[in-house]
Amino acid sequence: MPQLRLDTPVQFLKGIGEKRAEAFARLGVHTTQDLLLHLPHRYIDASSVTPLAEARVGDDVACVGTVTSKGVLPTRKGLRVFHAVLRDASGVLECAWPGQAFLDRTIQVGQLLLVAGPVRFYHGRQMAPREMVILGEDGESPGRILPVYPATEGLSHKQIRTIIDAHLDSLIPLVPDILPDELKARFALPSLAEAVRLVHRPTSLTEAEQGRRRLAIDELLDLQLMLARARHIARHGQRGTPFVLHRTLTTKLRESLPWTLTPDQKQSVREIFDDMTKADRMHRLLMGDVGTGKTVVALFAMLLAVENGYQAALMAPTELLAEQHYRTLATLLAPLGIHPEMLVGRLGASDKKAARARLASGETQLVVGTHALVQEGVAFSKLGLVVIDEQHRFGVEQRSALMLKGEAPDVLLLTATPIPRSLALTRYGDLDMSVLKVRPPGRGTIRTAVRTPAQRAKVFDFMHQTVQGGGQVYIVLPVIEESERADLRAAQTMATSLAAQWPDVVVGLVHGRIKPPEREQVMRDFRDGTVGVLVATTVIEVGIDVANATVMVIEHPERFGLAQLHQLRGRVGRGTKESHCILLTSSDGVPDRLRAFAATDDGFQIAELDLEERSHGDLLGARQSGGVDFRIARFPDDTDLLSEARALARAILDTDPGLERRENKPLRERAVARYPKAEVLFRVG
Ligand code: ADP
Ligand code: MG
């Protein structure tokens, strides 16, 4: 065998042949280093097992006992259930594994089993084990913390445990420690080698967690170094324009507004002005739920550019949104004598040509548009600020295409998708952020209700009455056609049946298979009030403002994520009237998550709930967190580590922007190894 290194393929390890190497590859484990970082997704605390007689109904416990009898019984809706009775000195306990008849081949009378799971009442006390380990083999005995590893077909968690345990002692000495001592001291973090030992062979759950946190911060630091580097390049690579606060237009706007800015808005404007008056380019994200008043904040930024003799551009993802912004800005700017320009694909050729000429000559100071703004032939005379609404709807190319229309313009990105701080740090770690949390006063409230099938008829009556009274209603369904899922109500069927049922109502339909121009037309008709009921899938625009639409009914809300439900709910409550969001469940029981959703209208709180829900959803350990996969870090639990990792990454780059110092080189190498595509970041600037 070649000398063991951290990049040695696992196949060279004893106990791993070709077959197992393939199985490991499916788990993302290729090298010995990957193997060391293949962490248990849970532990069984066999050091404190409950005597069988003391396992009570309602408890979640771990027990050890000898199998005295077993068998498969066909019960419960045709499910075949494997049963085993365990005995220890204290007594007996029955265990049942619904749908796992195959265990009959694995588990034999006389074996010593460790089981862990909830105890319930089913013809007596019965455990439904979540976890089961056959003890007494491979030296496994009660009295230690057993790691349980993410497994795959052809490679059980038990086999993985045996393999890792066998190689741990020879691999640990190879693990280098590259984290600065200062950070280790601050967080009481063990060395990397020690951390690896702790996660695989802890003597307590606390130790296991200590080890995991050390590995997590390393993982987070790698990403934060990349993001901090990207930020460094964006801000320092090209100098921006140090705008001067002339307070001509900006102050005029403040004086002419029909209301005062909310404290959040004031704070955001301050942060933006701070950035814009510096020589470094602004690269800022303004985050706030729908209705928190982002547009006017963006307008202040645009006017600062304009009062410095520069042009400002606002790009929105759809024509409808662009038109909406255009109207808003035109109204707010009228008292200032400024006329914004609109550039969208729908304009006639001669209008477009004229608009382009005004942009090129500098006559237009402020323009709103769609991606039509970035097309060839569009030239600005002096573009100083780029604002991008619903920035995630644009590709990087489109965003940078607009930036390239100017000479290093400042950039302000807007998003109506609040995300928890932890996610923001991983997704937008390279951006500075301003947040609008509180909605301005004076808008109608949104009441959220959960209704069960028995109340369907009443809900539909309410919708009908609303439309008859001159209001408008949305109804959202999870699928387009019945054929996709026979058990779900579908948008097309709903539109047809409502139209038949309510001849006095104009029913509109939008979904993903209707072409965008047609879809926009239906949305326009809805905005203009010609359509009374809009039946839709989740494609309805984020940010669309139809003040007269006050009811949002969502069918099969169980099928939607909480953040998605919140986005949908944001379509109503845009006017001054009270609005209703009604979740129409498909069964009688109302899940706690929907209750929690109905109880709050705080987008950030919902985002936290949503994140928790999703992080618990995936047992494989490869958690998807906003486009970045973390194998070790968990959110929201590790948010504190993330903030520290970000602060640390920025501090390191402040003194050594290219990570070129000898002590920082290992950091750079490891980060680049983890994010190969980001290598380019260290080749420029
Ligand atoms: P967002 O783009 O964040 O969804 P908007 O910018 O569309 O929100 O603002 C929502 C509504 O609130 C608009 O009608 C706007 O005129 C109004 N608005 C904004 N700021 C204030 C404020 N400080 N006080 C009262 N109303 C405001
Ligand atoms: Mg908006």
Side-chain angles (χ1 to χ4, degrees), residues 238-290:
Q238 264 176 316
R239 308 244 88 181
T241 314
F243 293 111
V244 176
L245 203 52
H246 293 299
R247 299 188 192 279
T248 48
L249 299 174
T250 44
T251 302
K252 263 197 209 155
L253 175 67
R254 188 161 295 169
E255 285 164 356
S256 70
L257 284 178
W259 15 258
T260 50
L261 295 181
T262 65
D264 284 355
Q265 285 174 321
K266 281 186 189 152
Q267 167 78 13
S268 300
V269 170
R270 239 190 327 265
E271 288 165 356
I272 289 167
F273 281 4
D274 255 10
D275 284 359
M276 290 180 70
T277 48
K278 285 194 184 120
D280 284 345
R281 286 179 74 180
M282 171 166 77
H283 210 53
R284 183 169 284 276
L285 179 73
L286 176 62
M287 183 185 290
D289 241 325
V290 279

Side-chain angles (χ1 to χ4, degrees), residues 626-684:
V628 182
D629 273 336
F630 292 110
R631 296 175 64 142
I632 301 165
R634 293 189 188 133
F635 295 104
D637 305 5
D638 288 332
T639 306
D640 59 331
L641 292 182
L642 185 48
S643 310
E644 286 303 324
R646 174 161 111 146
L648 183 77
R650 289 190 174 187
I652 294 173
L653 286 185
D654 273 349
T655 55
D656 183 14
L659 292 182
E660 281 156 347
R661 289 191 193 159
R662 201 170 51 86
E663 71 270 23
N664 289 333
K665 273 220 170 104
L667 282 173
R668 169 177 164 168
E669 274 160 23
R670 191 181 64 184
V672 169
R674 185 128 41 178
Y675 298 101
K677 280 199 203 125
E679 206 247 307
V680 61
L681 291 176
F682 287 97
R683 280 199 254 123
V684 296

Side-chain angles (χ1 to χ4, degrees), residues 468-529:
Q468 282 175 326
Q472 286 168 287
V473 168
Y474 294 96
I475 175 163
V476 174
L477 299 97
V479 291
I480 303 174
E481 288 177 50
E482 224 106 272
S483 58
E484 292 169 53
R485 286 282 306 258
D487 55 334
L488 296 178
R489 293 174 200 279
Q492 276 177 353
T493 326
M494 178 62 70
T496 317
S497 87
L498 285 184
Q501 219 176 312
W502 299 337
D504 54 328
V505 171
V506 182
V507 178
L509 173 65
V510 293
H511 58 66
R513 256 182 270 145
I514 296 176
K515 294 237 155 55
E518 256 175 83
R519 214 155 70 193
E520 290 219 351
Q521 192 50 53
V522 179
M523 291 298 302
R524 231 176 238 123
D525 291 343
F526 187 68
R527 179 194 67 194
D528 299 339

Side-chain angles (χ1 to χ4, degrees), residues 393-501:
R393 302 265 307 264
F394 292 99
V396 184
E397 338 71 60
Q398 282 172 317
R399 279 182 285 179
S400 33
L402 185 53
M403 295 171 207
L404 289 171
K405 298 273 179 188
E407 255 177 68
D410 279 342
V411 179
L412 178 64
L413 305 168
L414 311 183
T415 178
T417 312
I419 55 176
R421 188 163 166 70
S422 57
L423 271 194
L425 286 173
T426 58
R427 205 186 292 173
Y428 303 125
D430 56 333
L431 296 178
D432 297 302
M433 249 200 295
S434 295
V435 175
L436 301 180
K437 282 207 165 168
V438 179
R439 286 185 182 75
R443 324 212 80 208
T445 49
I446 307 176
R447 297 164 66 120
T448 304
V450 188
R451 295 287 178 260
T452 56
Q455 296 157 303
R456 268 189 90 76
K458 267 175 105 174
V459 171
F460 279 80
D461 279 348
F462 176 64
M463 288 166 67
H464 195 192
Q465 280 162 20
T466 304
V467 181
Q468 282 175 326
Q472 286 168 287
V473 168
Y474 294 96
I475 175 163
V476 174
L477 299 97
V479 291
I480 303 174
E481 288 177 50
E482 224 106 272
S483 58
E484 292 169 53
R485 286 282 306 258
D487 55 334
L488 296 178
R489 293 174 200 279
Q492 276 177 353
T493 326
M494 178 62 70
T496 317
S497 87
L498 285 184
Q501 219 176 312

Side-chain angles (χ1 to χ4, degrees), residues 294-295 325 389 543:
K294 295 182 291 293
T295 316
H325 281 307
D389 191 23

